[in-house]
Amino acid sequence: MKLICIGRNYTAHIEELENERPKDPVIFMKPDSAILPKEQDFYIPEFTQSLHYEVEVLVKIHKVGKHIAPAFAHKYYDEISLGIDFTARDVQDELKKKGLPWEKAKAFDGSAVIGKWVSKSNYGSIDHLTFSLQKNQEVVQQASTELMLWKVDELIAYVSSFFTLKKGDIIFTGTPAGVGTVASGDYLEGFIECEPFFDLKIK
Ligand code: ZN
């Protein structure tokens, strides 16, 4: 299985990192070894001095598809979750400057936090979900999927024009504004609407 991640999908986050607004979705991937095992603490890697959280809505693909039309994309996923795309921001800034790929900054072990999976039928529309991240019981990121530049179905269509989507693949749909650093001792909790999806200690 693969983790397909979308970058720069919320305007306010593009502005906070002073990135250009993309013409097409930015895509990168994480290997399955990036998944933080359930109930495990997150250890800040030694190669970064600036480890950022990015809370994101996740979608799990449940049947194989390629060149999926946006109108049919909803048939390719039935479960959603919430997760974190941990990013070594200092490493990423260095790679960006040199025009190099981002994997060292984003695809390292433990960089993909995946919460519990819930049927999408529990929600009215995936395009109107509010979600948030709390750090030490304070809200640090809060947004709605309404604010996405490319909605989930458009992302699936776009991604599947390059990569065959397979059962079990997970799409990280991009982070809203409010990204920031974590330090040893921090405690993170993610919510969709008011329901907790994951919690995690930083070591
Ligand atoms: Zn991200």
Side-chain angles (χ1 to χ4, degrees):
M1 58 89 76
K2 53 191 177 289
L3 309 175
I4 301 157
C5 306
I6 306 300
R8 304 182 195 169
N9 200 24
Y10 290 84
T11 309
H13 172 63
I14 294 171
E15 286 164 3
E16 76 182 345
L17 293 187
E18 298 178 0
N19 280 322
E20 247 174 72
R21 192 189 160 107
K23 282 194 216 71
D24 297 306
V26 172
I27 300 175
F28 59 94
M29 295 207 210
K30 296 180 190 253
D32 57 4
S33 50
I35 297 171
L36 185 70
K38 285 254 178 287
E39 313 299 333
Q40 228 172 72
D41 299 330
F42 176 83
Y43 286 81
I44 297 176
E46 283 173 7
F47 56 74
T48 177
Q49 308 306 315
S50 181
L51 199 278
H52 273 200
Y53 53 76
E54 296 189 353
V55 74
E56 312 200 359
V57 170
L58 312 182
V59 173
K60 192 194 277 177
I61 299 298
H62 77 135
K63 63 175 186 177
V64 73
K66 191 175 166 68
H67 297 300
I68 300 164
F72 297 107
H74 65 276
K75 296 177 188 264
Y76 288 82
Y77 63 97
D78 55 1
E79 288 184 307
I80 60 171
S81 185
L82 193 72
I84 296 181
D85 163 23
F86 272 123
T87 303
R89 192 70 70 200
D90 47 353
V91 176
Q92 189 194 25
D93 286 346
E94 214 41 51
L95 295 168
K96 271 190 196 167
K97 252 187 253 165
K98 295 178 182 159
L100 292 171
W102 295 353
E103 276 81 357
K104 285 197 289 183
K106 281 194 171 272
F108 54 86
D109 288 1
S111 62
V113 175
I114 295 172
K116 66 177 178 184
W117 291 99
V118 164
S119 169
K120 69 176 179 188
S121 64
N122 293 8
Y123 301 95
S125 160
I126 197 164
D127 297 330
H128 296 88
L129 286 181
T130 57
F131 60 100
S132 63
L133 180 72
Q134 294 187 10
K135 181 169 103 170
N136 307 326
Q137 259 111 52
E138 256 179 63
V139 176
V140 287
Q141 287 189 280
Q142 186 163 43
S144 164
T145 53
E146 281 169 60
L147 300 171
M148 287 181 172
L149 292 176
W150 290 278
K151 302 290 189 269
V152 170
D153 290 352
E154 293 170 313
L155 292 174
I156 287 173
Y158 186 73
V159 165
S160 74
S161 69
F162 295 89
F163 313 111
T164 298
L165 293 175
K166 291 186 171 177
K167 190 175 159 75
D169 288 350
I170 294 170
I171 301 181
F172 279 64
T173 60
T175 197
V179 299
T181 55
V182 288
S184 177
D186 284 344
Y187 177 61
L188 300 178
E189 298 165 278
F191 300 85
I192 294 181
E193 313 292 353
C194 294
E195 190 180 343
F197 271 69
F198 63 80
D199 69 291
L200 166 83
K201 282 197 203 106
I202 307 295
K203 295 279 174 95

